[in-house]
């Protein structure tokens, strides 16, 4: 039977789809503006006219008004007297010279190799794709990770470590699976006598080195190459920091804890920053947040904080502090545990 089109009801639920589609369009407009370098250009040319921007960005004039208005509607451009400039939010988040910029993180979501861009494949896999985590993260991934960490998580973790009573007397720090190395860099900035080693896979530490040099800490922060599961990561450390590394070692955390114990000086501190799932592996945050977390933690956050704490205890650590840290994909749990 065919439907009488004139009488076909219009579903109020359409808004559900429209809102999702609008989000996609907004992402595309902003991604394009970031790729064009529009915000960098406007930072140097505030108060530009539509014509000037169109000429500089090589955009057809007939799209300019609506294109720029879309960015005004997003709160990223300000418009008055037919002139445009970056909003304060755009200057902070989207301009290359800003230390808080988020552009690489934003673009990484849709990068061809990202888990979100290849969601169909990602959801079928039972292990990380080869060429990504096996060979380690690439520069884009690390930059995105660095920018994510600076949305409050790194600040909270490093402030908590600075609050440990042994911090001022600490001299050597190891950042295991440190990637970009920003945790080690931030802690060395906070304590002038601290030196640090960022331990990671060989092709990653080239990128780490770039961060170390950008923050002018090459005299106090170095890198060491290796595989944390088999290679020696040295000893004589006052602090060993492990952030978002342990998911793939979840089945044998004690093996890692025992090696960290040996690497630490007496009374030294193990700092662990990871996502844990809710009691009973439940879902306290939204589904998208939880899915993001799963995609980033080899399928699942760490389970059962009680088991984690018991493993710490069994491996010779005393839990000094356990606190929730606000992060991008929900809270992480920060453990500060001292070597007994
Ligand atoms: C998710 S990133 C975390 C980076 C940083 N610690 C943070 O919290 O932002 C995990 C890091 O661990 C490194 N990694 C993974 N497996 C490793 C292994 N077996 N040995 C050494 N590093 C490893 C990766 O190269 C990557 O830099």
């Amino acid at each position: 039977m065919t439907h009488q089109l004139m009488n076909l009801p219009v579903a109020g639920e359409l808004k559900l789809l429209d809102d999702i589609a609008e989000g996609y369009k907004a992402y595309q407009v902003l991604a394009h503006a970031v790729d064009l370098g529009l915000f960098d250009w406007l930072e140097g040319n505030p108060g530009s006219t539509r014509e000037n921007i169109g000429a500089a960005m090589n955009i057809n004039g007939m799209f300019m008004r609506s294109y720029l208005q879309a960015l005004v509607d997003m709160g990223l451009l300000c418009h008055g007297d037919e002139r445009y400039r970056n909003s304060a939010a755009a200057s902070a988040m989207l301009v290359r010279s800003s230390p808080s910029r988020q552009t690489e993180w934003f673009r990484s979501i849709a990068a061809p190799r990202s888990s979100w861009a290849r969601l169909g494949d990602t959801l079928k896999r039972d292990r990380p794709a080869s060429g990504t985590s096996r060979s380690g993260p690439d520069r884009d991934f690390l930059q995105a990770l660095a920018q994510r960490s600076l949305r409050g998580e790194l600040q909270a973790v490093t402030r908590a470590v600075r609050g440990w009573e042994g911090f001022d007397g600490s001299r050597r720090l190891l950042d295991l699976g440190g990637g970009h190395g920003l945790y080690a860099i931030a802690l060395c900035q906070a304590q002038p006598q601290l030196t640090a080693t960022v331990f990671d896979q060989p092709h990653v530490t080239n990128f780490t080195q770039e961060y170390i040099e950008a923050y002018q800490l090459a005299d106090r922060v170095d890198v060491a190459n290796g595989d944390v599961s088999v290679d020696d990561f040295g000893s004589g450390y006052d602090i060993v920091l492990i952030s978002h590394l342990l998911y793939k070692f979840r089945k044998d955390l004690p093996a890692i804890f025992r090696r960290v114990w040996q690497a630490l000086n007496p009374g030294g501190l193990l700092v662990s920053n990871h996502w844990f799932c809710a009691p009973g592996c439940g879902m306290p945050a939204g589904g998208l947040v939880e899915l993001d977390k799963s995609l980033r933690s080899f399928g699942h956050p760490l389970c059962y904080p009680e088991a984690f704490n018991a493993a710490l205890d069994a491996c010779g650590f005393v839990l000094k502090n356990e606190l929730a840290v606000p992060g991008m994909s929900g809270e992480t749990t920060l453990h500060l545990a001292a070597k007994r």
Side-chain angles (χ1 to χ4, degrees), residues 157-190:
V157 168
T158 52
R159 280 187 203 132
V161 176
R162 189 186 57 189
W164 171 54
E165 72 266 15
F167 183 64
D168 288 341
S170 295
R171 295 294 174 266
R172 291 284 302 137
L173 175 140
L174 175 66
D175 186 358
L176 267 188
H180 41 73
L182 289 186
Y183 285 87
I185 289 170
L187 289 165
C188 283
Q189 287 177 329

Side-chain angles (χ1 to χ4, degrees), residues 136-137 141-142 145 149 175-180 183 199-201 204 226-229 243-245 248-249:
F141 181 89
L142 273 184
L145 208 61
S149 73
D175 186 358
L176 267 188
H180 41 73
Y183 285 87
F199 185 100
D200 210 300
Q201 304 174 84
V204 172
D227 179 337
V228 72
S229 56
S243 174
H244 294 300
L245 170 71
K248 63 191 206 186
F249 302 111

Side-chain angles (χ1 to χ4, degrees), residues 199 225 227 230-235 259:
F199 185 100
N225 295 325
D227 179 337
V230 290
D231 292 320
D232 182 20
F233 39 78
S235 59
R259 295 182 60 215

